[in-house]
PDB file of all heavy atoms in Angstrom:
ATOM      1  N   VAL G   1      20.202 -34.384 -47.978  1.00 94.00           N
ATOM      2  CA  VAL G   1      20.655 -33.107 -47.420  1.00 94.00           C
ATOM      3  C   VAL G   1      21.874 -33.402 -46.556  1.00 94.00           C
ATOM      4  O   VAL G   1      21.766 -33.911 -45.450  1.00 94.00           O
ATOM      5  CB  VAL G   1      19.544 -32.416 -46.608  1.00 94.00           C
ATOM      6  CG1 VAL G   1      20.051 -31.098 -46.026  1.00 94.00           C
ATOM      7  CG2 VAL G   1      18.318 -32.189 -47.477  1.00 94.00           C
ATOM      8  N   ARG G   2      23.052 -33.066 -47.074  1.00 96.00           N
ATOM      9  CA  ARG G   2      24.310 -33.420 -46.416  1.00 96.00           C
ATOM     10  C   ARG G   2      24.777 -32.371 -45.417  1.00 96.00           C
ATOM     11  O   ARG G   2      25.648 -32.647 -44.594  1.00 96.00           O
ATOM     12  CB  ARG G   2      25.401 -33.634 -47.468  1.00 96.00           C
ATOM     13  CG  ARG G   2      25.167 -34.810 -48.403  1.00 96.00           C
ATOM     14  CD  ARG G   2      25.118 -36.107 -47.654  1.00 96.00           C
ATOM     15  NE  ARG G   2      25.344 -37.252 -48.543  1.00 96.00           N
ATOM     16  CZ  ARG G   2      25.193 -38.507 -48.171  1.00 96.00           C
ATOM     17  NH1 ARG G   2      24.794 -38.784 -46.937  1.00 96.00           N
ATOM     18  NH2 ARG G   2      25.421 -39.502 -49.018  1.00 96.00           N
ATOM     19  N   GLY G   3      24.220 -31.168 -45.498  1.00 96.00           N
ATOM     20  CA  GLY G   3      24.633 -30.135 -44.559  1.00 96.00           C
ATOM     21  C   GLY G   3      23.793 -28.886 -44.712  1.00 96.00           C
ATOM     22  O   GLY G   3      23.364 -28.535 -45.815  1.00 96.00           O
ATOM     23  N   ILE G   4      23.531 -28.208 -43.586  1.00 95.00           N
ATOM     24  CA  ILE G   4      22.809 -26.937 -43.570  1.00 95.00           C
ATOM     25  C   ILE G   4      23.660 -25.967 -42.757  1.00 95.00           C
ATOM     26  O   ILE G   4      23.919 -26.192 -41.569  1.00 95.00           O
ATOM     27  CB  ILE G   4      21.411 -27.075 -42.942  1.00 95.00           C
ATOM     28  CG1 ILE G   4      20.553 -28.068 -43.753  1.00 95.00           C
ATOM     29  CG2 ILE G   4      20.719 -25.726 -42.850  1.00 95.00           C
ATOM     30  CD1 ILE G   4      19.213 -28.386 -43.112  1.00 95.00           C
ATOM     31  N   HIS G   5      24.104 -24.903 -43.400  1.00 97.00           N
ATOM     32  CA  HIS G   5      24.999 -23.945 -42.760  1.00 97.00           C
ATOM     33  C   HIS G   5      24.293 -22.592 -42.655  1.00 97.00           C
ATOM     34  O   HIS G   5      23.837 -22.040 -43.662  1.00 97.00           O
ATOM     35  CB  HIS G   5      26.288 -23.799 -43.566  1.00 97.00           C
ATOM     36  CG  HIS G   5      27.092 -25.065 -43.628  1.00 97.00           C
ATOM     37  ND1 HIS G   5      28.204 -25.283 -42.833  1.00 97.00           N
ATOM     38  CD2 HIS G   5      26.946 -26.185 -44.375  1.00 97.00           C
ATOM     39  CE1 HIS G   5      28.702 -26.480 -43.093  1.00 97.00           C
ATOM     40  NE2 HIS G   5      27.946 -27.052 -44.027  1.00 97.00           N
ATOM     41  N   LEU G   6      24.202 -22.071 -41.431  1.00 96.00           N
ATOM     42  CA  LEU G   6      23.574 -20.783 -41.183  1.00 96.00           C
ATOM     43  C   LEU G   6      24.658 -19.772 -40.839  1.00 96.00           C
ATOM     44  O   LEU G   6      25.509 -20.027 -39.975  1.00 96.00           O
ATOM     45  CB  LEU G   6      22.566 -20.878 -40.037  1.00 96.00           C
ATOM     46  CG  LEU G   6      21.506 -21.979 -40.135  1.00 96.00           C
ATOM     47  CD1 LEU G   6      20.580 -21.926 -38.933  1.00 96.00           C
ATOM     48  CD2 LEU G   6      20.706 -21.866 -41.425  1.00 96.00           C
ATOM     49  N   ILE G   7      24.633 -18.619 -41.504  1.00 97.00           N
ATOM     50  CA  ILE G   7      25.587 -17.556 -41.203  1.00 97.00           C
ATOM     51  C   ILE G   7      24.831 -16.259 -40.952  1.00 97.00           C
ATOM     52  O   ILE G   7      23.707 -16.072 -41.416  1.00 97.00           O
ATOM     53  CB  ILE G   7      26.621 -17.364 -42.335  1.00 97.00           C
ATOM     54  CG1 ILE G   7      25.959 -16.846 -43.609  1.00 97.00           C
ATOM     55  CG2 ILE G   7      27.341 -18.678 -42.624  1.00 97.00           C
ATOM     56  CD1 ILE G   7      26.940 -16.498 -44.707  1.00 97.00           C
ATOM     57  N   ASN G   8      25.457 -15.379 -40.175  1.00 97.00           N
ATOM     58  CA  ASN G   8      24.876 -14.066 -39.844  1.00 97.00           C
ATOM     59  C   ASN G   8      23.521 -14.196 -39.172  1.00 97.00           C
ATOM     60  O   ASN G   8      22.666 -13.313 -39.322  1.00 97.00           O
ATOM     61  CB  ASN G   8      24.740 -13.209 -41.123  1.00 97.00           C
ATOM     62  CG  ASN G   8      26.076 -12.712 -41.634  1.00 97.00           C
ATOM     63  OD1 ASN G   8      26.955 -12.350 -40.854  1.00 97.00           O
ATOM     64  ND2 ASN G   8      26.241 -12.700 -42.953  1.00 97.00           N
ATOM     65  N   GLU G   9      23.304 -15.275 -38.428  1.00 94.00           N
ATOM     66  CA  GLU G   9      21.995 -15.456 -37.817  1.00 94.00           C
ATOM     67  C   GLU G   9      21.836 -14.513 -36.618  1.00 94.00           C
ATOM     68  O   GLU G   9      22.646 -14.519 -35.694  1.00 94.00           O
ATOM     69  CB  GLU G   9      21.772 -16.911 -37.395  1.00 94.00           C
ATOM     70  CG  GLU G   9      22.695 -17.475 -36.336  1.00 94.00           C
ATOM     71  CD  GLU G   9      23.982 -18.060 -36.904  1.00 94.00           C
ATOM     72  OE1 GLU G   9      24.350 -17.699 -38.034  1.00 94.00           O
ATOM     73  OE2 GLU G   9      24.621 -18.843 -36.189  1.00 94.00           O
ATOM     74  N   PRO G  10      20.790 -13.665 -36.608  1.00 91.00           N
ATOM     75  CA  PRO G  10      20.534 -12.762 -35.476  1.00 91.00           C
ATOM     76  C   PRO G  10      19.865 -13.521 -34.340  1.00 91.00           C
ATOM     77  O   PRO G  10      19.336 -14.617 -34.529  1.00 91.00           O
ATOM     78  CB  PRO G  10      19.594 -11.711 -36.070  1.00 91.00           C
ATOM     79  CG  PRO G  10      18.852 -12.461 -37.128  1.00 91.00           C
ATOM     80  CD  PRO G  10      19.814 -13.472 -37.689  1.00 91.00           C
ATOM     81  N   LEU G  11      19.863 -12.918 -33.182  1.00 86.00           N
ATOM     82  CA  LEU G  11      19.272 -13.576 -32.015  1.00 86.00           C
ATOM     83  C   LEU G  11      17.789 -13.862 -32.233  1.00 86.00           C
ATOM     84  O   LEU G  11      17.288 -14.911 -31.825  1.00 86.00           O
ATOM     85  CB  LEU G  11      19.462 -12.703 -30.770  1.00 86.00           C
ATOM     86  CG  LEU G  11      20.871 -12.664 -30.174  1.00 86.00           C
ATOM     87  CD1 LEU G  11      20.929 -11.687 -29.003  1.00 86.00           C
ATOM     88  CD2 LEU G  11      21.298 -14.063 -29.722  1.00 86.00           C
ATOM     89  N   PHE G  12      17.075 -12.939 -32.889  1.00 82.00           N
ATOM     90  CA  PHE G  12      15.635 -13.152 -33.026  1.00 82.00           C
ATOM     91  C   PHE G  12      15.293 -14.124 -34.156  1.00 82.00           C
ATOM     92  O   PHE G  12      14.125 -14.319 -34.474  1.00 82.00           O
ATOM     93  CB  PHE G  12      14.877 -11.831 -33.192  1.00 82.00           C
ATOM     94  CG  PHE G  12      15.330 -10.962 -34.328  1.00 82.00           C
ATOM     95  CD1 PHE G  12      14.789 -11.105 -35.588  1.00 82.00           C
ATOM     96  CD2 PHE G  12      16.292  -9.993 -34.126  1.00 82.00           C
ATOM     97  CE1 PHE G  12      15.189 -10.305 -36.641  1.00 82.00           C
ATOM     98  CE2 PHE G  12      16.706  -9.177 -35.174  1.00 82.00           C
ATOM     99  CZ  PHE G  12      16.154  -9.336 -36.428  1.00 82.00           C
ATOM    100  N   PHE G  13      16.311 -14.745 -34.762  1.00 88.00           N
ATOM    101  CA  PHE G  13      16.034 -15.855 -35.672  1.00 88.00           C
ATOM    102  C   PHE G  13      15.820 -17.150 -34.896  1.00 88.00           C
ATOM    103  O   PHE G  13      15.110 -18.044 -35.349  1.00 88.00           O
ATOM    104  CB  PHE G  13      17.189 -16.045 -36.660  1.00 88.00           C
ATOM    105  CG  PHE G  13      17.092 -17.323 -37.463  1.00 88.00           C
ATOM    106  CD1 PHE G  13      16.189 -17.441 -38.506  1.00 88.00           C
ATOM    107  CD2 PHE G  13      17.878 -18.433 -37.143  1.00 88.00           C
ATOM    108  CE1 PHE G  13      16.079 -18.623 -39.231  1.00 88.00           C
ATOM    109  CE2 PHE G  13      17.778 -19.613 -37.863  1.00 88.00           C
ATOM    110  CZ  PHE G  13      16.878 -19.704 -38.910  1.00 88.00           C
ATOM    111  N   HIS G  14      16.411 -17.259 -33.736  1.00 84.00           N
ATOM    112  CA  HIS G  14      16.403 -18.519 -32.991  1.00 84.00           C
ATOM    113  C   HIS G  14      14.999 -19.016 -32.630  1.00 84.00           C
ATOM    114  O   HIS G  14      14.772 -20.232 -32.628  1.00 84.00           O
ATOM    115  CB  HIS G  14      17.290 -18.402 -31.746  1.00 84.00           C
ATOM    116  CG  HIS G  14      18.749 -18.319 -32.094  1.00 84.00           C
ATOM    117  ND1 HIS G  14      19.503 -19.430 -32.417  1.00 84.00           N
ATOM    118  CD2 HIS G  14      19.592 -17.258 -32.212  1.00 84.00           C
ATOM    119  CE1 HIS G  14      20.735 -19.068 -32.699  1.00 84.00           C
ATOM    120  NE2 HIS G  14      20.817 -17.754 -32.584  1.00 84.00           N
ATOM    121  N   PRO G  15      14.023 -18.144 -32.325  1.00 85.00           N
ATOM    122  CA  PRO G  15      12.661 -18.666 -32.097  1.00 85.00           C
ATOM    123  C   PRO G  15      12.106 -19.408 -33.319  1.00 85.00           C
ATOM    124  O   PRO G  15      11.413 -20.429 -33.164  1.00 85.00           O
ATOM    125  CB  PRO G  15      11.849 -17.406 -31.787  1.00 85.00           C
ATOM    126  CG  PRO G  15      12.834 -16.461 -31.207  1.00 85.00           C
ATOM    127  CD  PRO G  15      14.099 -16.706 -31.972  1.00 85.00           C
ATOM    128  N   VAL G  16      12.400 -18.920 -34.516  1.00 84.00           N
ATOM    129  CA  VAL G  16      11.951 -19.618 -35.728  1.00 84.00           C
ATOM    130  C   VAL G  16      12.679 -20.948 -35.869  1.00 84.00           C
ATOM    131  O   VAL G  16      12.077 -21.975 -36.204  1.00 84.00           O
ATOM    132  CB  VAL G  16      12.189 -18.735 -36.975  1.00 84.00           C
ATOM    133  CG1 VAL G  16      11.885 -19.519 -38.253  1.00 84.00           C
ATOM    134  CG2 VAL G  16      11.321 -17.495 -36.905  1.00 84.00           C
ATOM    135  N   PHE G  17      13.956 -20.939 -35.599  1.00 85.00           N
ATOM    136  CA  PHE G  17      14.743 -22.174 -35.662  1.00 85.00           C
ATOM    137  C   PHE G  17      14.208 -23.191 -34.653  1.00 85.00           C
ATOM    138  O   PHE G  17      14.109 -24.390 -34.948  1.00 85.00           O
ATOM    139  CB  PHE G  17      16.208 -21.842 -35.381  1.00 85.00           C
ATOM    140  CG  PHE G  17      17.151 -22.994 -35.591  1.00 85.00           C
ATOM    141  CD1 PHE G  17      17.122 -23.735 -36.765  1.00 85.00           C
ATOM    142  CD2 PHE G  17      18.087 -23.342 -34.630  1.00 85.00           C
ATOM    143  CE1 PHE G  17      17.998 -24.793 -36.970  1.00 85.00           C
ATOM    144  CE2 PHE G  17      18.959 -24.392 -34.822  1.00 85.00           C
ATOM    145  CZ  PHE G  17      18.910 -25.119 -35.988  1.00 85.00           C
ATOM    146  N   THR G  18      13.846 -22.714 -33.486  1.00 86.00           N
ATOM    147  CA  THR G  18      13.270 -23.594 -32.454  1.00 86.00           C
ATOM    148  C   THR G  18      11.937 -24.175 -32.911  1.00 86.00           C
ATOM    149  O   THR G  18      11.590 -25.314 -32.577  1.00 86.00           O
ATOM    150  CB  THR G  18      13.077 -22.802 -31.147  1.00 86.00           C
ATOM    151  OG1 THR G  18      14.340 -22.298 -30.704  1.00 86.00           O
ATOM    152  CG2 THR G  18      12.485 -23.682 -30.050  1.00 86.00           C
ATOM    153  N   LEU G  19      11.193 -23.400 -33.704  1.00 83.00           N
ATOM    154  CA  LEU G  19       9.901 -23.863 -34.219  1.00 83.00           C
ATOM    155  C   LEU G  19      10.079 -24.994 -35.225  1.00 83.00           C
ATOM    156  O   LEU G  19       9.290 -25.948 -35.259  1.00 83.00           O
ATOM    157  CB  LEU G  19       9.171 -22.685 -34.870  1.00 83.00           C
ATOM    158  CG  LEU G  19       7.762 -22.928 -35.418  1.00 83.00           C
ATOM    159  CD1 LEU G  19       6.795 -23.232 -34.287  1.00 83.00           C
ATOM    160  CD2 LEU G  19       7.299 -21.709 -36.221  1.00 83.00           C
ATOM    161  N   ILE G  20      11.123 -24.914 -36.038  1.00 84.00           N
ATOM    162  CA  ILE G  20      11.356 -25.892 -37.096  1.00 84.00           C
ATOM    163  C   ILE G  20      12.008 -27.170 -36.573  1.00 84.00           C
ATOM    164  O   ILE G  20      11.686 -28.273 -37.025  1.00 84.00           O
ATOM    165  CB  ILE G  20      12.221 -25.265 -38.214  1.00 84.00           C
ATOM    166  CG1 ILE G  20      11.472 -24.116 -38.886  1.00 84.00           C
ATOM    167  CG2 ILE G  20      12.620 -26.307 -39.250  1.00 84.00           C
ATOM    168  CD1 ILE G  20      12.300 -23.353 -39.892  1.00 84.00           C
ATOM    169  N   LYS G  21      12.911 -27.041 -35.609  1.00 85.00           N
ATOM    170  CA  LYS G  21      13.733 -28.170 -35.170  1.00 85.00           C
ATOM    171  C   LYS G  21      12.960 -29.419 -34.766  1.00 85.00           C
ATOM    172  O   LYS G  21      13.374 -30.531 -35.109  1.00 85.00           O
ATOM    173  CB  LYS G  21      14.666 -27.747 -34.027  1.00 85.00           C
ATOM    174  CG  LYS G  21      15.928 -27.061 -34.500  1.00 85.00           C
ATOM    175  CD  LYS G  21      16.890 -26.792 -33.354  1.00 85.00           C
ATOM    176  CE  LYS G  21      17.570 -28.068 -32.881  1.00 85.00           C
ATOM    177  NZ  LYS G  21      18.612 -27.777 -31.878  1.00 85.00           N
ATOM    178  N   PRO G  22      11.836 -29.310 -34.031  1.00 86.00           N
ATOM    179  CA  PRO G  22      11.135 -30.540 -33.631  1.00 86.00           C
ATOM    180  C   PRO G  22      10.666 -31.397 -34.790  1.00 86.00           C
ATOM    181  O   PRO G  22      10.460 -32.604 -34.629  1.00 86.00           O
ATOM    182  CB  PRO G  22       9.939 -30.007 -32.817  1.00 86.00           C
ATOM    183  CG  PRO G  22      10.367 -28.671 -32.334  1.00 86.00           C
ATOM    184  CD  PRO G  22      11.213 -28.110 -33.435  1.00 86.00           C
ATOM    185  N   PHE G  23      10.477 -30.798 -35.960  1.00 83.00           N
ATOM    186  CA  PHE G  23      10.005 -31.547 -37.121  1.00 83.00           C
ATOM    187  C   PHE G  23      11.146 -32.208 -37.896  1.00 83.00           C
ATOM    188  O   PHE G  23      10.898 -32.970 -38.837  1.00 83.00           O
ATOM    189  CB  PHE G  23       9.222 -30.624 -38.061  1.00 83.00           C
ATOM    190  CG  PHE G  23       8.026 -29.971 -37.431  1.00 83.00           C
ATOM    191  CD1 PHE G  23       7.969 -28.600 -37.255  1.00 83.00           C
ATOM    192  CD2 PHE G  23       6.946 -30.733 -36.996  1.00 83.00           C
ATOM    193  CE1 PHE G  23       6.865 -27.988 -36.678  1.00 83.00           C
ATOM    194  CE2 PHE G  23       5.834 -30.141 -36.416  1.00 83.00           C
ATOM    195  CZ  PHE G  23       5.792 -28.765 -36.255  1.00 83.00           C
ATOM    196  N   LEU G  24      12.382 -31.908 -37.525  1.00 85.00           N
ATOM    197  CA  LEU G  24      13.534 -32.441 -38.250  1.00 85.00           C
ATOM    198  C   LEU G  24      14.012 -33.753 -37.645  1.00 85.00           C
ATOM    199  O   LEU G  24      13.899 -33.969 -36.432  1.00 85.00           O
ATOM    200  CB  LEU G  24      14.693 -31.429 -38.221  1.00 85.00           C
ATOM    201  CG  LEU G  24      14.428 -30.056 -38.840  1.00 85.00           C
ATOM    202  CD1 LEU G  24      15.632 -29.149 -38.638  1.00 85.00           C
ATOM    203  CD2 LEU G  24      14.094 -30.186 -40.312  1.00 85.00           C
ATOM    204  N   SER G  25      14.548 -34.618 -38.487  1.00 87.00           N
ATOM    205  CA  SER G  25      15.108 -35.874 -37.992  1.00 87.00           C
ATOM    206  C   SER G  25      16.406 -35.600 -37.245  1.00 87.00           C
ATOM    207  O   SER G  25      17.040 -34.551 -37.418  1.00 87.00           O
ATOM    208  CB  SER G  25      15.386 -36.821 -39.160  1.00 87.00           C
ATOM    209  OG  SER G  25      16.432 -36.304 -39.973  1.00 87.00           O
ATOM    210  N   GLU G  26      16.814 -36.537 -36.417  1.00 91.00           N
ATOM    211  CA  GLU G  26      18.069 -36.376 -35.686  1.00 91.00           C
ATOM    212  C   GLU G  26      19.254 -36.292 -36.641  1.00 91.00           C
ATOM    213  O   GLU G  26      20.233 -35.577 -36.385  1.00 91.00           O
ATOM    214  CB  GLU G  26      18.255 -37.538 -34.707  1.00 91.00           C
ATOM    215  CG  GLU G  26      17.244 -37.555 -33.563  1.00 91.00           C
ATOM    216  CD  GLU G  26      17.253 -36.261 -32.761  1.00 91.00           C
ATOM    217  OE1 GLU G  26      18.351 -35.767 -32.446  1.00 91.00           O
ATOM    218  OE2 GLU G  26      16.154 -35.748 -32.456  1.00 91.00           O
ATOM    219  N   LYS G  27      19.170 -36.994 -37.754  1.00 90.00           N
ATOM    220  CA  LYS G  27      20.254 -36.961 -38.735  1.00 90.00           C
ATOM    221  C   LYS G  27      20.411 -35.567 -39.320  1.00 90.00           C
ATOM    222  O   LYS G  27      21.529 -35.059 -39.463  1.00 90.00           O
ATOM    223  CB  LYS G  27      19.984 -37.977 -39.847  1.00 90.00           C
ATOM    224  CG  LYS G  27      21.091 -38.059 -40.894  1.00 90.00           C
ATOM    225  CD  LYS G  27      20.743 -39.048 -41.997  1.00 90.00           C
ATOM    226  CE  LYS G  27      20.768 -40.467 -41.491  1.00 90.00           C
ATOM    227  NZ  LYS G  27      20.575 -41.457 -42.588  1.00 90.00           N
ATOM    228  N   ILE G  28      19.283 -34.929 -39.647  1.00 90.00           N
ATOM    229  CA  ILE G  28      19.340 -33.578 -40.201  1.00 90.00           C
ATOM    230  C   ILE G  28      19.838 -32.588 -39.140  1.00 90.00           C
ATOM    231  O   ILE G  28      20.671 -31.714 -39.418  1.00 90.00           O
ATOM    232  CB  ILE G  28      17.974 -33.134 -40.728  1.00 90.00           C
ATOM    233  CG1 ILE G  28      17.573 -33.973 -41.950  1.00 90.00           C
ATOM    234  CG2 ILE G  28      17.979 -31.652 -41.089  1.00 90.00           C
ATOM    235  CD1 ILE G  28      18.451 -33.747 -43.163  1.00 90.00           C
ATOM    236  N   LYS G  29      19.348 -32.731 -37.919  1.00 91.00           N
ATOM    237  CA  LYS G  29      19.789 -31.829 -36.844  1.00 91.00           C
ATOM    238  C   LYS G  29      21.302 -31.884 -36.663  1.00 91.00           C
ATOM    239  O   LYS G  29      21.953 -30.859 -36.422  1.00 91.00           O
ATOM    240  CB  LYS G  29      19.104 -32.210 -35.527  1.00 91.00           C
ATOM    241  CG  LYS G  29      17.622 -31.911 -35.466  1.00 91.00           C
ATOM    242  CD  LYS G  29      17.042 -32.388 -34.138  1.00 91.00           C
ATOM    243  CE  LYS G  29      15.535 -32.239 -34.093  1.00 91.00           C
ATOM    244  NZ  LYS G  29      14.956 -32.785 -32.838  1.00 91.00           N
ATOM    245  N   ALA G  30      21.869 -33.077 -36.787  1.00 94.00           N
ATOM    246  CA  ALA G  30      23.312 -33.238 -36.600  1.00 94.00           C
ATOM    247  C   ALA G  30      24.111 -32.591 -37.726  1.00 94.00           C
ATOM    248  O   ALA G  30      25.322 -32.367 -37.589  1.00 94.00           O
ATOM    249  CB  ALA G  30      23.665 -34.718 -36.494  1.00 94.00           C
ATOM    250  N   ARG G  31      23.450 -32.277 -38.831  1.00 95.00           N
ATOM    251  CA  ARG G  31      24.137 -31.701 -39.985  1.00 95.00           C
ATOM    252  C   ARG G  31      23.942 -30.184 -40.090  1.00 95.00           C
ATOM    253  O   ARG G  31      24.272 -29.589 -41.106  1.00 95.00           O
ATOM    254  CB  ARG G  31      23.648 -32.389 -41.267  1.00 95.00           C
ATOM    255  CG  ARG G  31      24.056 -33.854 -41.328  1.00 95.00           C
ATOM    256  CD  ARG G  31      23.461 -34.583 -42.511  1.00 95.00           C
ATOM    257  NE  ARG G  31      23.945 -35.961 -42.558  1.00 95.00           N
ATOM    258  CZ  ARG G  31      23.497 -36.893 -43.383  1.00 95.00           C
ATOM    259  NH1 ARG G  31      22.544 -36.591 -44.256  1.00 95.00           N
ATOM    260  NH2 ARG G  31      23.979 -38.126 -43.351  1.00 95.00           N
ATOM    261  N   ILE G  32      23.384 -29.582 -39.048  1.00 94.00           N
ATOM    262  CA  ILE G  32      23.186 -28.133 -39.022  1.00 94.00           C
ATOM    263  C   ILE G  32      24.383 -27.467 -38.345  1.00 94.00           C
ATOM    264  O   ILE G  32      24.801 -27.869 -37.271  1.00 94.00           O
ATOM    265  CB  ILE G  32      21.885 -27.770 -38.293  1.00 94.00           C
ATOM    266  CG1 ILE G  32      20.673 -28.339 -39.053  1.00 94.00           C
ATOM    267  CG2 ILE G  32      21.758 -26.260 -38.141  1.00 94.00           C
ATOM    268  CD1 ILE G  32      19.352 -28.138 -38.344  1.00 94.00           C
ATOM    269  N   HIS G  33      24.935 -26.452 -38.997  1.00 96.00           N
ATOM    270  CA  HIS G  33      26.099 -25.729 -38.480  1.00 96.00           C
ATOM    271  C   HIS G  33      25.742 -24.254 -38.346  1.00 96.00           C
ATOM    272  O   HIS G  33      25.276 -23.628 -39.292  1.00 96.00           O
ATOM    273  CB  HIS G  33      27.293 -25.885 -39.426  1.00 96.00           C
ATOM    274  CG  HIS G  33      27.645 -27.306 -39.735  1.00 96.00           C
ATOM    275  ND1 HIS G  33      28.588 -28.028 -39.030  1.00 96.00           N
ATOM    276  CD2 HIS G  33      27.160 -28.162 -40.685  1.00 96.00           C
ATOM    277  CE1 HIS G  33      28.682 -29.245 -39.528  1.00 96.00           C
ATOM    278  NE2 HIS G  33      27.822 -29.358 -40.526  1.00 96.00           N
ATOM    279  N   LEU G  34      25.962 -23.705 -37.163  1.00 95.00           N
ATOM    280  CA  LEU G  34      25.714 -22.287 -36.905  1.00 95.00           C
ATOM    281  C   LEU G  34      27.056 -21.559 -36.885  1.00 95.00           C
ATOM    282  O   LEU G  34      27.890 -21.789 -36.019  1.00 95.00           O
ATOM    283  CB  LEU G  34      24.981 -22.111 -35.575  1.00 95.00           C
ATOM    284  CG  LEU G  34      23.668 -22.895 -35.406  1.00 95.00           C
ATOM    285  CD1 LEU G  34      23.073 -22.650 -34.031  1.00 95.00           C
ATOM    286  CD2 LEU G  34      22.669 -22.532 -36.490  1.00 95.00           C
ATOM    287  N   HIS G  35      27.254 -20.653 -37.839  1.00 96.00           N
ATOM    288  CA  HIS G  35      28.540 -19.971 -37.979  1.00 96.00           C
ATOM    289  C   HIS G  35      28.543 -18.562 -37.407  1.00 96.00           C
ATOM    290  O   HIS G  35      29.620 -18.015 -37.142  1.00 96.00           O
ATOM    291  CB  HIS G  35      28.934 -19.906 -39.457  1.00 96.00           C
ATOM    292  CG  HIS G  35      29.188 -21.227 -40.086  1.00 96.00           C
ATOM    293  ND1 HIS G  35      30.431 -21.815 -40.154  1.00 96.00           N
ATOM    294  CD2 HIS G  35      28.333 -22.102 -40.689  1.00 96.00           C
ATOM    295  CE1 HIS G  35      30.351 -22.972 -40.772  1.00 96.00           C
ATOM    296  NE2 HIS G  35      29.082 -23.181 -41.106  1.00 96.00           N
ATOM    297  N   GLY G  36      27.377 -17.959 -37.243  1.00 95.00           N
ATOM    298  CA  GLY G  36      27.320 -16.595 -36.748  1.00 95.00           C
ATOM    299  C   GLY G  36      27.986 -15.619 -37.700  1.00 95.00           C
ATOM    300  O   GLY G  36      28.027 -15.816 -38.918  1.00 95.00           O
ATOM    301  N   SER G  37      28.556 -14.554 -37.124  1.00 95.00           N
ATOM    302  CA  SER G  37      29.219 -13.533 -37.935  1.00 95.00           C
ATOM    303  C   SER G  37      30.674 -13.874 -38.218  1.00 95.00           C
ATOM    304  O   SER G  37      31.359 -13.139 -38.942  1.00 95.00           O
ATOM    305  CB  SER G  37      29.132 -12.176 -37.227  1.00 95.00           C
ATOM    306  OG  SER G  37      29.742 -12.246 -35.942  1.00 95.00           O
ATOM    307  N   ASN G  38      31.143 -14.988 -37.674  1.00 93.00           N
ATOM    308  CA  ASN G  38      32.539 -15.407 -37.851  1.00 93.00           C
ATOM    309  C   ASN G  38      32.705 -16.333 -39.056  1.00 93.00           C
ATOM    310  O   ASN G  38      33.698 -17.060 -39.155  1.00 93.00           O
ATOM    311  CB  ASN G  38      33.020 -16.117 -36.569  1.00 93.00           C
ATOM    312  CG  ASN G  38      34.522 -16.271 -36.531  1.00 93.00           C
ATOM    313  OD1 ASN G  38      35.263 -15.359 -36.903  1.00 93.00           O
ATOM    314  ND2 ASN G  38      34.992 -17.425 -36.082  1.00 93.00           N
ATOM    315  N   TYR G  39      31.768 -16.302 -39.978  1.00 96.00           N
ATOM    316  CA  TYR G  39      31.734 -17.283 -41.060  1.00 96.00           C
ATOM    317  C   TYR G  39      32.925 -17.212 -42.006  1.00 96.00           C
ATOM    318  O   TYR G  39      33.288 -18.214 -42.627  1.00 96.00           O
ATOM    319  CB  TYR G  39      30.435 -17.147 -41.857  1.00 96.00           C
ATOM    320  CG  TYR G  39      30.297 -15.837 -42.594  1.00 96.00           C
ATOM    321  CD1 TYR G  39      30.746 -15.695 -43.901  1.00 96.00           C
ATOM    322  CD2 TYR G  39      29.707 -14.733 -41.980  1.00 96.00           C
ATOM    323  CE1 TYR G  39      30.623 -14.501 -44.574  1.00 96.00           C
ATOM    324  CE2 TYR G  39      29.577 -13.540 -42.649  1.00 96.00           C
ATOM    325  CZ  TYR G  39      30.045 -13.422 -43.945  1.00 96.00           C
ATOM    326  OH  TYR G  39      29.921 -12.241 -44.609  1.00 96.00           O
ATOM    327  N   LEU G  40      33.559 -16.056 -42.136  1.00 95.00           N
ATOM    328  CA  LEU G  40      34.698 -15.963 -43.045  1.00 95.00           C
ATOM    329  C   LEU G  40      35.864 -16.851 -42.600  1.00 95.00           C
ATOM    330  O   LEU G  40      36.684 -17.255 -43.427  1.00 95.00           O
ATOM    331  CB  LEU G  40      35.173 -14.507 -43.162  1.00 95.00           C
ATOM    332  CG  LEU G  40      34.278 -13.584 -43.991  1.00 95.00           C
ATOM    333  CD1 LEU G  40      34.804 -12.164 -43.963  1.00 95.00           C
ATOM    334  CD2 LEU G  40      34.151 -14.084 -45.430  1.00 95.00           C
ATOM    335  N   GLN G  41      35.901 -17.149 -41.311  1.00 94.00           N
ATOM    336  CA  GLN G  41      36.930 -18.051 -40.810  1.00 94.00           C
ATOM    337  C   GLN G  41      36.487 -19.515 -40.840  1.00 94.00           C
ATOM    338  O   GLN G  41      37.289 -20.416 -41.080  1.00 94.00           O
ATOM    339  CB  GLN G  41      37.314 -17.671 -39.368  1.00 94.00           C
ATOM    340  CG  GLN G  41      38.212 -16.449 -39.243  1.00 94.00           C
ATOM    341  CD  GLN G  41      37.492 -15.152 -39.583  1.00 94.00           C
ATOM    342  OE1 GLN G  41      36.374 -14.928 -39.121  1.00 94.00           O
ATOM    343  NE2 GLN G  41      38.107 -14.314 -40.403  1.00 94.00           N
ATOM    344  N   THR G  42      35.190 -19.763 -40.604  1.00 96.00           N
ATOM    345  CA  THR G  42      34.721 -21.141 -40.429  1.00 96.00           C
ATOM    346  C   THR G  42      34.125 -21.759 -41.691  1.00 96.00           C
ATOM    347  O   THR G  42      34.308 -22.952 -41.949  1.00 96.00           O
ATOM    348  CB  THR G  42      33.673 -21.196 -39.301  1.00 96.00           C
ATOM    349  OG1 THR G  42      32.575 -20.327 -39.628  1.00 96.00           O
ATOM    350  CG2 THR G  42      34.291 -20.761 -37.974  1.00 96.00           C
TER     351      THR G  42
END
């Protein structure tokens, strides 16, 4: 898994993301990118 990109993430998604993160390796965590609603630029 070389990269995980999240776009259009709402605020109430973050509790779920917080639930998953502890189970992920540090390598995977470093490859997660949060783009929000500005994804067309990023």
